[in-house]
Amino acid sequence: MTSLLYIERKSTIHKIDPRAKLLFAPLFSISLFFVDNAFILALLFILFALFSLDAMGLKAFSKTMLLIAPIVLLLFLMSPLEERGGVPLLEIGSLVILTHEAIDKVLIVSLRFILISLAFAILIRSVKERDIIKSLRWFRLPYSSCLCLSLIFRFIPYVASLYESIRMSLSMRLREGKRGYKAIPFLIALIINSFKMVPSFSSSLEERGFGRNGRREAKMGFSLLSGVEVILSVTIPILIVIFL
Amino acid sequence: MKRTAFKIVLIALSSAIVAVFTTIVRIPTPATGGYISLCDVAVSFLAYSFGPVLGFIAGGLGTAFSDLIGGYAQYAPISFVVHGVEGLLIGLIVNGTKTPIWRKIAAGVVGTLAVSLGYFSLTGLFLTTYSEALVEVVPNLIQGGVGAVLGLILYLGVSKAFKGLDDYRISFFHRKESETEKT
């Protein structure tokens, strides 16, 4: 499941330091809330669309856009009803249906939503899972927290494969021609089988020294020069806020 | 002895269970562009079984991970807070193995309301608008309600079928329950 996230490409975005991208995505998202100009947001959207196409390819980019399309469509349908003040563009009798300000607001909200989605999509499509963990360690996240996140990445495919095998075994027990099985016994079996591996896995961690005095450190493998990219990832969102 | 490794493995596995429950079983809701999932089943089950701490961490991390995997990364921080608080509230209200059933049901109701209100306020404030977020209130109430009921049924079923659940609970909190029972 998780291996489907990262896309192997030789794009410019892929070459940027993972720490810079990890810092940039949330900071950029926050900085967008300070921009109230639809035109500038549209320009940023074009820029990010180009970056996304370079980093993910057309297929993944279309998939991301299709996922958020219904939400954006709903925003266009619902939001104009909220904003009634301003220059009216469409009126039925005395009732104002659409105003200039409403269109402006819906464009800002929609473009902001799309840009946040693209910023995070670029991040998760261009950074490997192990690099995310290494970057978090570099940002001084405690070792036990990083280990926990790393284990989640490993356990998700394990629980998913367990789900498939239990589902298949229950399907095979059904009489020929019958479909469906009881959901509760299936979910109980899935949970119990998943939990049964906890003692053995935690014992193996303890045997390797985890939880004792010795701390295991992962090699960072980041070059010193890429620290510039980390600084740039902080300054670019701040500059956006100041100048836009 | 502090069983740090045990706690970390249990938290990670619980988060993975929440992520799988959220990712695999998905019923799309074309009206909102979102989806109905079984995440509340897993979150409420974990909160009933292990209390507020694991309910908060696993509920928050699991749903945030599934949002990242499923392409809804922009919702990940909101899901972390909303489902984390759901697990925390259910766990705080239940808090213990010998809780009466009415309290467990009340915990489920509070959890459902927390999810619905949380998504409405945070999505409306940060991502979309309140009118758009309002459309999702009813589907979220249904999902949360069904999730809380199924989570409680699962908790009763797993407690009955898997006796190790109590040992896990004791190991997680490293309580000396056997000693307190003797006194």
Side-chain angles (χ1 to χ4, degrees):
Chain A
M1 277 168 80
T2 51
S3 60
L4 296 173
L5 293 174
Y6 176 74
I7 297 172
E8 186 84 55
R9 278 173 84 94
K10 287 178 180 175
S11 71
T12 320
I13 299 288
H14 278 74
K15 286 171 191 163
I16 298 172
D17 190 307
R19 291 169 296 172
K21 285 184 269 187
L22 200 67
L23 200 61
F24 180 79
L27 282 178
F28 175 71
S29 304
I30 294 165
S31 73
L32 286 174
F33 287 93
F34 297 96
V35 184
D36 275 336
N37 190 326
F39 178 70
I40 288 167
L41 287 171
L43 285 178
L44 280 171
F45 166 67
I46 293 166
L47 189 71
F48 269 73
L50 291 171
F51 280 142
S52 307
L53 281 168
D54 183 34
M56 304 190 260
L58 184 65
K59 199 179 169 185
F61 175 71
S62 331
K63 202 180 164 188
T64 309
M65 293 305 288
L66 277 173
L67 269 174
I68 58 175
I71 303 166
V72 176
L73 188 70
L74 205 68
L75 270 171
F76 270 91
L77 290 172
M78 302 293 291
S79 301
L81 301 172
E82 259 184 40
E83 191 82 36
R84 296 292 177 86
V87 184
L89 292 175
L90 183 66
E91 288 176 282
I92 300 174
S94 60
L95 186 72
V96 179
I97 304 291
L98 196 66
T99 63
H100 186 272
E101 281 72 12
I103 291 180
D104 204 39
K105 191 189 171 188
V106 76
L107 275 172
I108 290 170
V109 175
S110 308
L111 284 166
R112 191 186 289 152
F113 181 77
I114 295 168
L115 279 166
I116 293 172
S117 308
L118 285 180
F120 279 98
I122 291 171
L123 171 74
I124 58 168
R125 297 285 186 184
S126 65
V127 184
K128 285 177 185 168
E129 161 249 311
R130 65 166 186 270
D131 286 337
I132 294 177
I133 304 292
K134 277 199 279 183
S135 306
L136 290 172
R137 279 291 292 145
W138 190 84
F139 288 121
R140 297 280 180 264
L141 194 75
Y143 177 70
S144 53
S145 305
C146 288
L147 179 69
C148 186
L149 293 176
S150 180
L151 285 175
I152 296 172
F153 273 117
R154 271 148 193 79
F155 285 154
I156 290 174
Y158 168 75
V159 179
S161 68
L162 210 58
Y163 173 96
E164 271 305 307
S165 41
I166 294 170
R167 192 183 65 80
M168 281 178 75
S169 67
L170 284 172
S171 302
M172 286 166 82
R173 285 183 194 178
L174 291 169
R175 284 181 196 167
E176 208 171 309
K178 281 204 167 187
R179 290 183 72 188
Y181 42 83
K182 287 177 181 174
I184 296 295
F186 164 66
L187 294 175
I188 290 173
L190 177 64
I191 287 172
I192 293 174
N193 275 292
S194 307
F195 275 147
K196 274 183 178 172
M197 55 88 74
V198 175
S200 58
F201 206 94
S202 57
S203 297
S204 59
L205 274 180
E206 279 166 359
E207 276 170 22
R208 283 167 180 239
F210 181 77
R212 296 179 195 161
N213 292 331
R215 279 201 324 177
R216 285 166 64 90
E217 293 286 343
K219 283 185 180 174
M220 289 295 164
F222 296 125
S223 63
L224 283 171
L225 194 69
S226 56
V228 177
E229 290 167 351
V230 180
I231 296 162
L232 279 175
S233 69
V234 185
T235 48
I236 290 170
I238 293 167
L239 287 173
I240 290 172
V241 175
I242 294 168
F243 292 108
L244 302 181
Chain B
M1 181 187 168
K2 280 187 182 179
R3 297 204 63 189
T4 319
F6 184 89
K7 281 181 188 176
I8 285 173
V9 173
L10 190 60
I11 289 169
L13 186 73
S14 304
S15 306
I17 288 172
V18 175
V20 170
F21 270 54
T22 316
T23 312
I24 288 184
V25 184
R26 271 184 182 177
I27 305 156
T29 50
T32 61
Y35 58 88
I36 290 174
S37 70
L38 290 181
C39 68
D40 296 298
V41 180
V43 176
S44 48
F45 162 76
L46 291 167
Y48 285 130
S49 307
F50 299 104
V53 179
L54 197 128
F56 176 77
I57 302 171
L61 280 179
T63 47
F65 261 78
S66 71
D67 279 340
L68 284 172
I69 294 166
Y72 295 90
Q74 66 278 21
Y75 280 100
I78 294 174
S79 296
F80 179 84
V81 174
V82 171
H83 290 288
V85 169
E86 180 194 14
L88 181 80
L89 288 174
I90 294 175
L92 280 173
I93 295 168
V94 173
N95 205 21
T97 47
K98 289 170 185 174
T99 316
I101 193 79
W102 66 265
R103 208 163 153 174
K104 285 174 181 162
I105 294 167
V109 172
V110 171
T112 306
L113 290 174
V115 170
S116 199
L117 282 173
Y119 269 115
F120 171 70
S121 53
L122 293 177
T123 310
L125 188 66
F126 293 114
L127 284 180
T128 58
T129 55
Y130 283 109
S131 55
E132 199 273 343
L134 193 68
V135 182
E136 295 188 17
V137 169
V138 175
N140 280 335
L141 276 174
I142 296 167
Q143 180 185 308
V146 172
V149 172
L150 284 177
L152 183 58
I153 296 169
L154 262 188
Y155 165 68
L156 297 170
V158 173
S159 311
K160 205 174 176 183
F162 183 53
K163 300 295 172 197
L165 197 70
D166 288 332
D167 298 333
Y168 281 20
R169 196 181 294 119
I170 293 162
S171 296
F172 186 73
F173 292 105
H174 49 88
R175 280 178 192 157
K176 292 174 181 175
E177 287 193 3
S178 53
E179 287 178 18
T180 47
E181 274 172 20
K182 278 175 194 172
T183 54

